[in-house]
Amino acid sequence: MLIEPRRIELREEPAPPPPAGGIVVRVRAALTDGTDLKTYRRGHPKMPMPTRFGHEFCGDVAAAGEGVTGLAPGDPVMCVHTAPCGQCFWCRHAQEELCEDLIPAMILGAYSDLIAVPSRIVDRNCFAKPEHVSYAEGAFLEPLACVVHSLRLLAPAQGSTVAVVGNGGFGILHALFLARRGVTALLFGRRPERLALARELGIETVDTRVAPIADAILERTHDRGADAAIECTGAVEMWEAMPSLVRRGGRVSFFAGLPAQARVSFLASRLHYDEVQLLAPFHFTPADVREAFDLIAARALPLARLLSHVYPLDRIADAFTQLDAGVGLKVLIEP
Ligand SMILES: [Zn+2]
């Protein structure tokens, strides 16, 4: 439980009963991510505290509810923490990522021994984990679905050059997936150990403490600017700089969110005269989760390389103290 900012407590609770049509998962691996760290530091409007905590997980079916077919206790599963309702205006208009019941019905509590997964998620966003995929890799289903959705919206052309700003887990995942799609990714960041990891994974990196982002992009694009740029830092100043990084006719994707009341500004002429397009992908659809599952099952990306540390569940508070101090990338929590 996250009790208040920077205070995590472990609580003993009775095992949850399996929901009708749903399952209870015994968590074998959970991951930390940037949203968890932001929530840890300042809370989250959609997660009033005290709250269950953690949303990326993978494990085994501990119990199956009435009406569940195809999954039995002991089966390894990969699921995400949401599923669209299938009935609301947005679901009926092929924008399931905006489903009005998506966030209200999300499940939290990946940092626990057991988590109940309702029928809607079991039906639409849950998969049997292949044997050759580790639990830790399986727990990447949710973050990878976000990246799949992000690039579905951006739709970068093969051979184009895309600047990825921010070298956290999502920045590196974007760069890896872009490269797989035949796109030249340039990753910008200022954490030396993360830039070094990205280079080991074959990604071209630029240290923003050394070179201004705009100069480095112009140098590599015949002074035109990038074909597209993806914001993965969640900083207002960076959001405001993004439209200046792409070429005329380029596209900007604001992947990392800002606080709900944040305002940003940039030159209007970049939009009107230069036809720069602005996008802001949110969450994912079941089709994105399916594609992320296929990528993981095919072991298409070196996901395990993003794991910087492993902690047992009873040291979850230490894991976040360390992340808060700027150490680590994605931490694997093993109950
Ligand atoms: Zn809906």
Side-chain angles (χ1 to χ4, degrees):
M1 305 287 297
L2 183 62
I3 307 298
E4 60 183 33
R6 294 190 164 85
R7 190 170 142 220
I8 295 175
E9 280 179 17
L10 288 168
R11 285 191 186 165
E12 290 289 340
E13 285 183 2
I23 56 176
V24 173
V25 173
R26 176 167 298 283
V27 179
R28 299 293 184 193
L31 305 177
T32 63
D33 89 342
T35 306
D36 295 327
L37 181 57
K38 270 195 292 189
T39 304
Y40 175 79
R41 285 173 169 161
R42 63 178 191 223
H44 193 289
K46 305 291 183 195
M47 296 165 59
M49 288 181 269
T51 175
R52 288 167 193 280
F53 198 32
H55 66 282
E56 298 175 3
F57 66 98
C58 183
D60 300 319
V61 176
E66 211 183 304
V68 173
T69 53
L71 283 176
D75 288 352
V77 280
M78 300 161 57
C79 353
V80 297
H81 67 308
T82 64
C85 76
Q87 332 240 308
C88 72
F89 174 89
W90 290 272
C91 281
R92 285 185 283 111
H93 289 78
Q95 287 185 305
E96 293 162 301
E97 72 276 21
L98 300 178
C99 168
E100 59 190 17
D101 199 35
L102 194 70
I103 300 305
M106 74 179 165
I107 52 166
L108 297 169
Y111 308 141
S112 59
D113 293 308
L114 299 167
I115 183 169
V117 181
S119 63
R120 192 199 287 175
I121 296 178
V122 170
D123 292 345
R124 304 196 68 186
N125 282 340
C126 215
F127 302 86
K129 180 183 79 64
E131 219 170 290
H132 63 275
V133 170
S134 70
Y135 289 108
E137 289 169 322
F140 275 90
L141 185 63
E142 197 273 344
L144 198 52
C146 293
V147 174
V148 167
H149 182 70
S150 165
L151 294 191
R152 193 188 297 282
L153 250 68
L154 187 66
Q158 211 177 351
S160 62
T161 298
V162 175
V164 180
V165 183
N167 60 359
F170 277 120
I172 295 175
L173 281 177
H174 269 96
L176 288 170
F177 193 26
L178 284 164
R180 181 180 161 82
R181 293 169 52 146
V183 175
T184 301
L186 290 173
L187 183 72
F188 293 85
R190 58 185 177 203
R191 300 262 290 261
E193 75 285 3
R194 292 179 175 183
L195 293 171
L197 169 67
R199 280 194 299 277
E200 278 174 34
L201 299 176
I203 301 165
E204 187 177 349
T205 65
V206 178
D207 186 334
T208 54
R209 295 165 309 168
V210 176
I213 298 178
D215 294 359
I217 291 176
L218 291 174
E219 212 173 278
R220 288 165 175 79
T221 57
H222 307 283
D223 282 334
R224 275 196 305 264
D227 297 302
I230 305 173
E231 208 292 319
C232 295
T233 74
V236 168
E237 318 79 71
M238 205 56 243
W239 270 57
E240 296 191 322
M242 292 304 284
S244 65
L245 302 182
V246 297
R247 64 167 169 83
R248 300 180 69 221
R251 312 184 92 189
V252 170
S253 176
F254 299 102
F255 178 82
L258 296 178
Q261 302 307 317
R263 288 172 182 274
V264 290
S265 68
F266 28 71
L267 272 182
S269 59
R270 285 259 60 202
L271 274 57
H272 183 77
Y273 293 100
D274 292 342
E275 266 195 5
V276 167
Q277 296 178 43
L278 307 183
L279 306 164
F282 174 70
H283 213 71
F284 45 75
T285 68
D288 300 318
V289 179
R290 157 61 69 175
E291 188 175 339
F293 171 77
D294 290 342
L295 285 164
I296 293 171
R299 311 203 76 194
L301 303 171
L303 300 173
R305 295 293 305 277
L306 272 67
L307 302 171
S308 61
H309 299 80
V310 186
Y311 277 87
L313 180 60
D314 59 13
R315 289 192 58 209
I316 179 75
D318 295 337
F320 273 90
T321 305
Q322 177 190 281
L323 286 168
D324 193 21
V327 179
L329 185 55
K330 283 187 91 69
V331 176
L332 170 59
I333 307 293
E334 291 186 323

